[in-house]
Amino acid sequence: MKESVSRLRLFDGPLDLSWRHCATTSDFIADLFALRFQSSRNDYVEVRHSIGYVVNELIENAVKFRAPGEIVIEASMDSESFKLKVSNDVDNENASEFQSLLADITVGDPKDLLIQRIEANAANPDMAGSGLGLLTLMSDYGARLAWIFSPADKRDRICLETYASIPMSQTHN
């Protein structure tokens, strides 16, 4: 991320991180980055929605699967794309399960995989860790996603960095 980067930290504390923090944070980031499109209402609404959806999905995943601790969100945008990095710690078990899910949802066409996952979820509604959100990002928003798993400062934890990039030219044309 070479551009100017905006960084937010969500701290664990007495209020605990919850779903409402995801929506509030993603709305704030979407508003901030969509401002440059305010001269065109249609572009503004579309860009704000796309950025908000991507940010919310990745923050929700971080809150849902994190080990106790902070979540760091870094975002930037240039004329070509909006880029996001969400960092948090996960325990070894969640890291292994997530790596297994990624192996399943990153091979093949995202649109086909999304349909397969929707059908599998319909047949088994209790299916956890379906990957539908990530597949939707790739299929419907043209998101390019990447993940880095590395040892964290604390034993039995993995630092997970999730990267996303969505094209701006596709979003507001």
Side-chain angles (χ1 to χ4, degrees):
M1 294 183 136
K2 297 175 200 164
E3 306 86 17
S4 176
V5 175
S6 296
R7 181 177 295 123
L8 291 168
R9 289 183 188 274
L10 302 180
F11 292 99
D12 226 353
L15 297 177
D16 199 24
L17 288 173
S18 67
W19 297 111
R20 77 176 181 284
H21 297 111
C22 301
T24 302
T25 304
S26 61
D27 285 347
F28 171 75
I29 292 170
D31 285 338
L32 179 68
F33 283 93
L35 278 176
R36 70 174 70 175
F37 296 95
Q38 68 187 14
S39 64
S40 167
R41 172 135 176 85
N42 289 342
D43 287 351
Y44 173 81
V45 169
E46 188 147 343
V47 167
R48 186 189 179 289
H49 168 77
S50 296
I51 291 172
Y53 189 88
V54 169
V55 173
N56 192 64
E57 183 63 35
L58 296 189
I59 295 174
E60 279 185 357
N61 283 349
V63 166
K64 187 175 177 181
F65 298 110
R66 73 184 168 83
E70 70 183 27
I71 297 170
V72 178
I73 303 144
E74 297 176 65
S76 68
M77 186 164 62
D78 58 27
S79 61
E80 302 293 316
S81 61
F82 172 78
K83 297 176 185 116
L84 180 69
K85 174 183 167 187
V86 177
S87 305
N88 61 286
D89 285 357
V90 295
D91 63 32
N92 288 326
E93 182 180 338
N94 276 333
S96 294
E97 289 173 10
F98 190 49
Q99 287 170 323
S100 176
L101 173 69
L102 293 176
D104 291 341
I105 68 169
T106 57
V107 292
D109 179 72
K111 290 183 189 313
D112 293 340
L113 292 168
L114 179 60
I115 291 168
Q116 291 169 14
R117 287 286 170 154
I118 290 171
E119 291 170 349
N121 269 19
N124 182 7
D126 297 328
M127 193 166 117
S130 67
L132 284 176
L134 298 174
L135 285 168
T136 299
L137 292 177
M138 292 184 283
S139 173
D140 297 355
Y141 292 85
R144 292 182 13 216
L145 302 171
W147 298 268
I148 296 176
F149 294 82
S150 55
D153 293 339
K154 296 182 181 173
R155 216 177 87 202
D156 299 327
R157 288 207 185 166
I158 304 293
C159 177
L160 172 59
E161 295 175 337
T162 302
Y163 295 85
S165 174
I166 58 170
M168 284 292 99
S169 55
Q170 176 185 337
T171 303
H172 68 274
N173 280 343

